[in-house]
Amino acid sequence: MTDDSTATLGIGMVGYSFMGVVHSHAWRNVRSFFDVPLVPRLAALAGRNVEAATAVADKFGWEHVESDWRALLARDDVDLVDVCTPGDTHAEIAIAALDAGKHVLCEKPLANSVSEAAEMAAAAARARQAGVRAMVGFTYRRVPAIVLARNLVAEGRIGEIRHVRAQYLQDWLVDRQAPMSWRLEKSRAGSGALGDIGAHIVDLTQFITGEQITGVSALMETFVKQRPAAEPAAEVKLGGHVDAGDAPLADVTVDDAAVFTGRFSGGALATFEATRYAAGRKNAIRIEINGSLGSLAFDFEDMNVLHFYDDSESSQTAGFRRILVTEPDHPFLAAWWPPGHLLGYEHGFTHQAVDLVTALADGRGPEPTFDDGLRVQQVLAAVEQSAAKDSAWTVVGG
Amino acid sequence: MTDDSTATLGIGMVGYSFMGVVHSHAWRNVRSFFDVPLVPRLAALAGRNVEAATAVADKFGWEHVESDWRALLARDDVDLVDVCTPGDTHAEIAIAALDAGKHVLCEKPLANSVSEAAEMAAAAARARQAGVRAMVGFTYRRVPAIVLARNLVAEGRIGEIRHVRAQYLQDWLVDRQAPMSWRLEKSRAGSGALGDIGAHIVDLTQFITGEQITGVSALMETFVKQRPAAEPAAEVKLGGHVDAGDAPLADVTVDDAAVFTGRFSGGALATFEATRYAAGRKNAIRIEINGSLGSLAFDFEDMNVLHFYDDSESSQTAGFRRILVTEPDHPFLAAWWPPGHLLGYEHGFTHQAVDLVTALADGRGPEPTFDDGLRVQQVLAAVEQSAAKDSAWTVVGG
Amino acid sequence: MTDDSTATLGIGMVGYSFMGVVHSHAWRNVRSFFDVPLVPRLAALAGRNVEAATAVADKFGWEHVESDWRALLARDDVDLVDVCTPGDTHAEIAIAALDAGKHVLCEKPLANSVSEAAEMAAAAARARQAGVRAMVGFTYRRVPAIVLARNLVAEGRIGEIRHVRAQYLQDWLVDRQAPMSWRLEKSRAGSGALGDIGAHIVDLTQFITGEQITGVSALMETFVKQRPAAEPAAEVKLGGHVDAGDAPLADVTVDDAAVFTGRFSGGALATFEATRYAAGRKNAIRIEINGSLGSLAFDFEDMNVLHFYDDSESSQTAGFRRILVTEPDHPFLAAWWPPGHLLGYEHGFTHQAVDLVTALADGRGPEPTFDDGLRVQQVLAAVEQSAAKDSAWTVVGG
Amino acid sequence: MTDDSTATLGIGMVGYSFMGVVHSHAWRNVRSFFDVPLVPRLAALAGRNVEAATAVADKFGWEHVESDWRALLARDDVDLVDVCTPGDTHAEIAIAALDAGKHVLCEKPLANSVSEAAEMAAAAARARQAGVRAMVGFTYRRVPAIVLARNLVAEGRIGEIRHVRAQYLQDWLVDRQAPMSWRLEKSRAGSGALGDIGAHIVDLTQFITGEQITGVSALMETFVKQRPAAEPAAEVKLGGHVDAGDAPLADVTVDDAAVFTGRFSGGALATFEATRYAAGRKNAIRIEINGSLGSLAFDFEDMNVLHFYDDSESSQTAGFRRILVTEPDHPFLAAWWPPGHLLGYEHGFTHQAVDLVTALADGRGPEPTFDDGLRVQQVLAAVEQSAAKDSAWTVVGG
């Protein structure tokens, strides 16, 4: 039973792995919970492995499968191209799609290099003239606790920012026998922990503070320099472990970990750390912000919670408040369950879909923009340059 | 694109409110993540308010809407009736459906009285002869951390159970101006906090321990005896607050809170508490179990975590472990995201759907059975009897 | 170097074990941190085992050792008798001391029976006429976070009390080979977990709420009914484990655990639990109070912290505040370290000494009084009676 | 009553403020709890303000007061000089004392410059030939949870160290009206947050890992460059707030915060942060270490707890263990209370006294040595150099 009165937005998605699955779920379910002005239609899914793509399409109700992403650009039923492939293909697909007049949602990091990202931002600027929009998928911006953090900063509740402390900690490479994957190849992934997870904390801290990182000093390291080569056919699941046996060794060509200090535009000092070697930390996006009037703390492993310290409180009763971000007046929550009934990882993608289709329907540009994505890429590039030059202070975009 | 080779299971759902929504989501999405042997089809949704039912049907893709649940029983495309209505209608609908040869999934509590629950269990026993199955929806049994807790107990990891400590704490009635709703009317809801939320901790503690509550001693209380009557037309959202103004007052006819001690069949001492007056606790299902070899602790407000203390550890390094229950080998997790990417409230309903359709496909009886539901109802009845008799010890089912 | 201008208070202490040690430390150090109007002098320590008593006296600077507590009553340099012996001797010593005109500080529980406690309260009333004061040592009342909790309740910050939830959980009897000790003999200890640790949560919840427990319904249990008899000479340290080998078994004559529901005078519902079988909980005094305007939560295993939920906060930012009770304006804290530098277990005893000597200097009666101690004893007696009568509701003091 | 058979160690202490008080308490009480081979005697306290020094002497039982620290060196009853003054006087006092044949305990940081620290280390080396010993007071090394962390690393429980993450966060300068104090004057304090609190995390991470920091890249900042000058006479309590009114402004000449990355000798990447601007963090010494076999986490605001993740655990039950470090077999704990009865800030000083007098009695060199103190000073100097040179990588001791 379809309500024919609501306009639809035809989605053409490229890629069907982890990101493809979670995007599929979001496109399919967003209108079940939100009154969106444009209803996404799962028009077509493109994947080189047609069999695998068809299996995902069948599970989520994609209407068509294409073996080549270029075919999506030719389809009249596709209004938006959702790019869920590894970073080395983002620029080509996204620019072609924008030039073909399709809106684009592109997974992060925007690209594997600043130059690619800059071309993409230029393409987005051109497309904007024609009313065609581009958005980069820094999905964690849509976690309700993160939006609340941003709102509290914007309302001045923590005052002038003094310190930013951000870590993205995982542990799926602690095991020396964890196999190679495209995420460990520079040619595919661009960088390692830095681009894959460090990109998120760069974007999130800029988003929450409303400021930009102006310079960095960095260290990077590859702790385990060779890993067993998994069978090409084998699906290497993120976080899984493969018993590699006598597999030949392949070179890890990306960083295992990156740590850096930085400055924000308002003068705050920052420390950043991205690693896949923090045993016991599974997906710990930890962000702390200290301001002249208060502090915030967040950990994605307890993603429905924001900790807030209000320094204007009486010292008798001041303390970090554990805010369970599940009240009806918290961001996005009115659409979901009663207080105390938690949201999970995929809800951020559903919220991203809400914001994107709402912006498109309103003729506004969705955020984060490709310029935001470029800015993150410039920070990542500055980190790599600094690490290559004995941690020398490196101006972002300089 | 539908894979025609998989058999389907036609679902007919009664009710479209909170439970109807979350069940709809589960039926619709289960096959996107799990390889189920029977694929649910959202055949028909029944609701007296056809307009409202149609709106929900449209959002989730129910194929048909019926204004009377009886119509579902006559439909050939309905194989299972999913009862998501208030407790006063469970018995009539579920028994009729079973007698009509439809499998039944019935929301908890099974019924508003022991006698009704007993009739339902009898109907389920009859139906079983004909291969027709009945299950009661104690969904929290499908939270991965709860399943892990049950598994650890079953494996003997905490030994002989000494203490059970269970609370279900909410706070949506702390506000004296929170309005009346059907949940506060004995004729509709059967009981208050006891049946609505106390039922869950009774079932969960019996499930995890593998034991039964044999006797209880109870106190019950209604703190606020009259509340503003909300407009009948107004949708009173659980956890919301309505500014009642000069609304006439209506009598609250159920308990606001129930506390009781109890014994488990293995000799453990237990304390239980169910209340909607615990300011700041939004949906705190807190369960602690102490055994001769270790302990477990769980809080639904941090639902992806199980705390486990292993007393066989060296005292140098013994301590409660905060297990983030998101590893691929944790219950149900292989179907979802990488480690550290949390699940939310609705995932339990998806897991319930998996287990239910798998049991039906295998010709096994799904659990919890109507007998389990009856057992919970007997405990609730014993609590009410004890509270009515000055906390006198009351044998369950006695 | 002694400032002779300050009056002193001669202390005569009976007992030199765990409680004797921690009292000694308090008496000796209180004036190092607090400007007390009466400076305690460690005049004399009485213990039947003179050698052991002398060792403790030497370590803490007690000036004299007596082998018989009666000798303390005859000493002119003793102004206050501090009773740190097991409960079976409290009544005799305390009454004799009061009648001899000595102030008394008596460890909890006040006595092993209501009748003894009543005699002690009567003796205290008599003594009061002569300006002689009596206090019972419910020391946890002097933990700063507990005082802050009481203050917040008294200021109306959490409104009308609805729920009290109190547990005192230890685990030193989980091990079946933990040996017998006087704490497991009814004739010495009066009761088991109930009197030893349950007494604390009865007192603390009455103290914090400013209300009294009016009735109870209880269950008690002895899980392990015989234990290896330790050598009389062996010092059985609380929480230690003795390898009992082929030791003969002795009967445990007290409760291992007590759980009960209760009512407070203001109508609140309560649950209580005292046990030494909660594996992994070492000294978890956990108290939660829910009121019509907010909530409080405390756990002695994190004793410098009070959790406070203020329901008048905006729902955007409401959350339990983790108050680190180490600010200069927190109770007792001005005397100690800078913020964030924690206090430990023994500080409560130092604070008790401050309050006691200050009250004596001011001619006020120190609290908790023997009447408070009697009230606790009446609650414990009601618990035992209820447990003996199938959990029948039992009025306290009835 | 003094046991004359035990040898004594005469203590001469310089300074009587915060550190003087906590050292006094340790010297006075250590033998009440520990069987020390040398019993400290509080022989003499030196302070320029004789009145204030006498008040402290009176409270803690120091036998004599001197107005000049040089007088301590001439006293026969002084065997050890305990230096509790600001950092600018450490070198002169400590070197003179060592040269006079007195053992020295010197508060951290060892000195205000590397050259001073080097001279002190040289003096300590000379003195060692004569059996005279020197120790620097990095007291946090004696927190039981820290010792346990070090032991677990030494036993190989977390494997090869990959990441060190250390922060020392306070908030007593968040208030712009917090007044000047000697801690904010470079000439007195040497540096600001870096030397005062950063020194602790430099020492602690080197202690726990058993490795050294080989290089750093740093940022430093003074957020509030002028502060109200407090009256010289006013005692400015750390963490207190003075209403400065129209007080003249004085220049803050030290850093408010320092952040730096670093490398450990075993190859680990590290981030460090020391600040007094982290609103809501009172004394948060937070240390996390990730290794190839597990992880550790500590926060001084919960100082009795160590979190330990053992990666060799089954993924079913692996999780950070919250070890309550209060068991009898935990470091130093056998002397104190039963399990679950917490220790506080000053206990670390008592433990320091135990280890120091035990080492002296045994003829061993106590740790941390002046060489350890020098090493910390070299790291701090490298941090300052790097910060002065645009974060350039700076080799420690280079």
Side-chain angles (χ1 to χ4, degrees), chain C residues 1-308:
Chain C
M1 307 184 66
T2 306
D3 175 353
D4 292 330
S5 66
T6 306
T8 62
L9 180 80
I11 311 295
M13 190 172 79
V14 196
Y16 50 80
S17 290
F18 175 19
M19 279 303 110
V21 166
V22 70
H23 280 237
S24 294
H25 179 266
W27 291 125
R28 185 169 187 244
N29 288 282
V30 59
R31 75 170 293 251
S32 301
F33 295 93
F34 291 86
D35 288 324
V36 283
L38 276 174
V39 174
R41 255 187 64 223
L42 285 67
L45 169 60
R48 272 179 300 188
N49 182 331
V50 174
E51 190 180 359
T54 300
V56 171
D58 177 49
K59 289 187 172 187
F60 287 95
W62 289 94
E63 296 171 10
H64 301 277
V65 169
E66 301 281 1
S67 62
D68 187 333
W69 59 266
R70 290 171 190 83
L72 296 180
L73 276 50
R75 294 188 68 102
D76 286 344
D77 60 355
V78 168
D79 303 306
L80 179 146
V81 174
D82 182 7
V83 184
C84 292
T85 50
D88 59 333
T89 61
H90 287 185
E92 183 182 10
I93 301 173
I95 293 170
L98 288 168
D99 287 348
K102 308 295 192 192
H103 304 298
V104 169
L105 169 62
C106 181
E107 257 307 311
K108 51 58 54 183
L110 187 57
N112 280 358
S113 69
V114 170
S115 61
E116 279 181 340
E119 286 172 35
M120 295 169 78
R126 284 196 307 273
R128 199 179 308 135
Q129 309 300 323
V132 173
R133 302 295 189 170
M135 180 183 182
V136 61
F138 284 112
T139 323
Y140 289 121
R141 286 192 182 199
R142 264 77 189 196
V143 171
I146 294 288
V147 182
L148 178 59
R150 197 266 315 256
N151 292 351
L152 291 174
V153 171
E155 292 163 12
R157 294 294 293 274
I158 67 164
E160 198 176 336
I161 310 292
R162 303 291 197 200
H163 290 287
V164 174
R165 204 170 295 118
Q167 298 133 25
Y168 199 144
L169 309 178
Q170 297 182 334
D171 74 352
W172 54 280
L173 290 182
V174 167
D175 181 359
R176 282 184 173 276
Q177 294 301 313
M180 272 302 289
S181 81
W182 69 265
R183 290 176 189 271
L184 305 183
E185 284 177 51
K186 190 170 186 56
S187 60
R188 303 286 310 282
S191 67
L194 180 63
D196 185 26
I197 56 179
H200 279 300
I201 49 176
V202 166
D203 182 67
L204 282 176
T205 54
Q206 295 190 139
F207 172 66
I208 294 171
T209 61
E211 299 185 12
Q212 297 209 318
I213 300 167
T214 58
V216 296
S217 165
L219 284 180
M220 296 174 76
E221 180 66 90
T222 304
F223 295 115
V224 175
K225 297 186 169 50
Q226 290 191 316
R227 287 185 172 276
E231 286 298 300
E235 178 65 18
V236 178
K237 189 155 184 175
L238 180 62
H241 295 265
V242 169
D243 188 4
D246 302 325
L249 294 177
D251 289 343
V252 174
T253 50
V254 299
D255 56 288
D256 279 340
V259 301
F260 52 104
T261 58
R263 284 270 191 188
F264 276 76
S265 41
L269 299 184
T271 58
F272 290 90
E273 181 170 1
T275 183
R276 294 148 168 175
Y277 281 78
R281 305 299 180 190
K282 302 303 176 179
N283 202 47
I285 305 174
R286 305 196 301 194
I287 296 175
E288 294 189 0
I289 302 179
N290 305 125
S292 57
L293 299 176
S295 293
L296 296 168
F298 172 82
D299 184 343
F300 189 76
E301 290 190 359
D302 196 13
M303 65 170 274
N304 293 270
V305 167
L306 181 68
H307 298 272
F308 169 44

Side-chain angles (χ1 to χ4, degrees), chain A residues 148 151-152 155 157 308-310 313-324 327 329-331, chain C residues 148 151-152 155 157 308-310 313-324 327 329-331:
Chain A
L148 178 59
N151 292 349
L152 291 174
E155 292 163 11
R157 294 294 294 274
F308 169 45
Y309 182 85
D310 182 346
E313 268 292 327
S314 153
S315 61
Q316 285 279 327
T317 52
F320 274 87
R321 298 177 197 174
R322 187 180 186 277
I323 306 172
L324 195 57
E327 295 295 306
D329 58 357
H330 281 140
Chain C
L148 178 59
N151 292 351
L152 291 174
E155 292 163 12
R157 294 294 293 274
F308 169 44
Y309 182 86
D310 183 346
E313 268 292 327
S314 153
S315 61
Q316 285 279 328
T317 52
F320 274 87
R321 296 177 200 177
R322 186 179 187 278
I323 305 172
L324 195 57
E327 296 295 308
D329 59 356
H330 280 142

Side-chain angles (χ1 to χ4, degrees), chain B residues 310-335:
Chain B
D310 182 346
D311 202 49
S312 70
E313 268 291 326
S314 152
S315 61
Q316 285 279 329
T317 52
F320 274 88
R321 297 177 198 177
R322 186 180 186 277
I323 306 172
L324 194 57
V325 189
T326 58
E327 296 295 308
D329 58 356
H330 281 142
F332 299 110
L333 263 295

Side-chain angles (χ1 to χ4, degrees), chain B residues 136-212:
Chain B
V136 60
F138 284 112
T139 324
Y140 289 121
R141 285 193 182 198
R142 263 75 189 199
V143 171
I146 293 288
V147 182
L148 178 60
R150 197 265 316 259
N151 292 350
L152 291 173
V153 172
E155 292 162 12
R157 294 294 293 273
I158 68 164
E160 197 176 338
I161 310 292
R162 301 292 196 202
H163 290 288
V164 174
R165 204 168 295 117
Q167 299 133 26
Y168 198 144
L169 309 178
Q170 296 182 336
D171 73 352
W172 54 281
L173 290 182
V174 167
D175 180 359
R176 283 183 172 275
Q177 295 301 313
M180 274 300 290
S181 81
W182 69 264
R183 289 176 189 273
L184 305 183
E185 283 177 53
K186 191 170 184 60
S187 61
R188 303 287 308 284
S191 68
L194 180 63
D196 185 26
I197 56 180
H200 279 300
I201 50 178
V202 167
D203 181 67
L204 282 176
T205 55
Q206 295 190 138
F207 171 66
I208 294 171
T209 60
E211 299 186 11
Q212 296 209 319

Side-chain angles (χ1 to χ4, degrees), chain C residues 304-374:
Chain C
N304 293 270
V305 167
L306 181 68
H307 298 272
F308 169 44
Y309 182 86
D310 183 346
D311 201 50
S312 70
E313 268 292 327
S314 153
S315 61
Q316 285 279 328
T317 52
F320 274 87
R321 296 177 200 177
R322 186 179 187 278
I323 305 172
L324 195 57
V325 190
T326 59
E327 296 295 308
D329 59 356
H330 280 142
F332 300 109
L333 263 294
W336 297 105
W337 320 116
H341 295 67
L342 305 190
L343 302 190
Y345 170 67
E346 67 262 46
H347 292 76
F349 292 84
T350 306
H351 301 163
Q352 175 174 269
V354 176
D355 283 355
L356 173 50
V357 299
T358 302
L360 292 179
D362 294 353
R364 288 179 293 108
E367 295 188 339
T369 64
F370 275 20
D371 284 341
D372 292 325
L374 169 59

